[in-house]
Amino acid sequence: MIHAVWVINKAGGLVFNRSYSDVLPPLPLNAVLILAGTLHGIHAITGRLDPTTNSKSRSGPSSGQGMEAFEAEGWGGRVWLSGTGTKFIVLHSIPHSGLDELLRRIYEIYADAVMKNPFHTPEMPINSSLFETRLQTLIAGVNT
Amino acid sequence: MDGSYYPSNPLPQSSTSTNRFSLTAPSSSPSTSTSTSKPTTTAGRIASATGLYTSSSPALAPAPTGILDRPLNKGKGAEVGMSAFAFLLAEVVSYSQSRVDSVTDLERRLSSLGYEAGLRILSLILLRNTQQAGGKDPKREHRLIPILQFVHTQVYKYCFGKPADGLERSVEGEDEYMLTMNQPPLTQHISIPKDMSQLSCEAFTAGIVEGVLDGLDVPARVTAHTVGTDQYPQRTVILIKLDQKVMDREEVLGK
């Protein structure tokens, strides 16, 4: 079960969030924005903690791999950072298979419906009905 | 949390900046002679933009062939990637949008770009048809219905890879015809914001149709309208309103 999809821009601002289940507690938009900003910060810090990357080869603080997943009792989140710094997050129930594939598909839809839309301003909230519709179809297919 | 944690590689498709299309100054490539000869038309600008891509690395390609030096008969690699064109059209739309005040003006601008393309497409299709027939019996339609069928089938197939989904005469008038496409490929990724709901970026396609028709001496006013159905929310109708002159001529020519 996929509970929600978030998209966070490279400055840490939430540009898209949508719930796909009714068990997720409804939060005011401001609370979700703060949560997304915090998640962005944690992702950045965990990236700097990364011991697997050789510290000498690091050119900047960004070279490490940040947090990829978090888990709690019965639910969790999967984080995926695109090459351009945009983060895609799904909140899901545990166990859940095929999350990586799902995130790639979400990214594909994002590349098509958002980046190829002349009425979208980069780094600004996503306001594309096409993106929402295609995402809805994708998630509905996973949730059944 | 200032973006400095993140790779600073620029978004490839980023920015509403218009510098990709401001190449009116003679570009560095020697082969795009058209762009310098016609720097004032918008179509000339686009030709120069595409020409620049083909010859952006003159050091690697010893003898750069410009788009005009290629043979005109159909060869391999004549197709353009759908994504590349989607990005190009997105930039065209946002470039045009920054220079107009109203939706109507934006549509007119897109349409005039399509018109230039349509004129060229017509010549190219006619030439290729003649070449395919071995130079014998060159054909150019002159009656209205065959012309519309030519647009419906050949022009659409050349532009979009498949014929239009429908061609019908409007119930409202003898001089109105409609070309429908259930999923227009050019604008498939564009979603119109709510405050511009009147806009249809398929105005570009309408311009192509208008250019082709004009080239065949069938002047018409061509407009695009999005008439979504449940199954095809992006279904687009290209409405062709023929000039009175065409109707008069058809009457004289008879059946």
Side-chain angles (χ1 to χ4, degrees), chain B residues 135-150:
Chain B
K136 281 176 285 198
D137 192 20
K139 199 174 174 194
R140 191 179 173 105
E141 306 292 353
H142 67 287
R143 294 303 299 267
L144 180 61
I145 301 299
I147 284 176
L148 290 171
Q149 278 164 349
F150 169 79

Side-chain angles (χ1 to χ4, degrees), chain B:
Chain B
M1 282 178 232
D2 55 1
S4 67
Y5 291 117
Y6 288 89
S8 58
N9 44 349
L11 288 164
Q13 63 281 77
S14 75
S15 92
T16 50
S17 83
T18 53
N19 50 8
R20 263 194 244 169
F21 291 97
S22 57
L23 301 167
T24 41
S27 59
S28 57
S29 67
S31 57
T32 53
S33 54
T34 39
S35 62
T36 48
S37 66
K38 297 170 95 184
T40 46
T41 67
T42 338
R45 272 179 226 162
I46 290 195
S48 107
T50 44
L52 192 80
Y53 286 128
T54 57
S55 57
S56 59
S57 52
L60 294 175
T65 35
I67 195 160
L68 294 178
D69 299 327
R70 285 187 216 148
L72 280 169
N73 51 346
K74 201 167 187 175
K76 273 185 183 171
E79 287 90 11
V80 174
M82 199 59 239
S83 288
F85 197 86
F87 282 125
L88 181 66
L89 191 71
E91 284 299 327
V92 166
V93 172
S94 62
Y95 171 88
S96 309
Q97 202 196 355
S98 65
R99 276 158 182 78
V100 296
D101 300 323
S102 69
V103 168
T104 328
D105 280 351
L106 179 54
E107 285 193 334
R108 197 174 301 143
R109 236 186 136 102
L110 290 174
S111 170
S112 69
L113 287 171
Y115 182 89
E116 300 283 333
L119 284 180
R120 289 162 173 75
I121 287 167
L122 172 66
S123 311
L124 188 62
I125 293 178
L126 290 177
L127 178 74
R128 281 186 182 164
N129 283 351
T130 311
Q131 279 180 340
Q132 246 167 17
K136 281 176 285 198
D137 192 20
K139 199 174 174 194
R140 191 179 173 105
E141 306 292 353
H142 67 287
R143 294 303 299 267
L144 180 61
I145 301 299
I147 284 176
L148 290 171
Q149 278 164 349
F150 169 79
V151 174
H152 166 274
T153 314
Q154 299 209 34
V155 175
Y156 265 60
K157 202 163 183 182
Y158 173 77
C159 294
F160 312 123
K162 58 171 191 224
D165 294 307
L167 167 66
E168 49 196 299
R169 191 165 77 194
S170 162
V171 287
E172 281 165 31
E174 291 262 300
D175 56 347
E176 285 186 354
Y177 286 82
M178 298 183 296
L179 270 169
T180 47
M181 193 123 194
N182 289 335
Q183 277 183 309
L186 292 189
T187 54
Q188 58 180 331
H189 302 304
I190 296 178
S191 36
I192 307 289
K194 285 194 185 73
D195 56 327
M196 301 177 87
S197 56
Q198 288 302 306
L199 174 70
S200 172
C201 291
E202 280 293 304
F204 185 76
T205 310
I208 293 179
V209 172
E210 192 171 336
V212 170
L213 290 180
D214 219 14
L216 289 166
D217 199 21
V218 181
R221 206 180 70 228
V222 186
T223 46
H225 307 274
T226 306
V227 187
T229 59
D230 284 343
Q231 199 185 354
Y232 301 109
Q234 293 186 313
R235 184 167 164 274
T236 301
V237 175
I238 305 284
L239 185 66
I240 303 168
K241 179 146 177 67
L242 296 159
D243 197 277
Q244 189 54 42
K245 174 186 146 191
V246 181
M247 303 314 291
D248 292 347
R249 186 176 63 205
E250 278 298 300
E251 205 163 315
V252 170
L253 284 173
K255 299 214 167 172

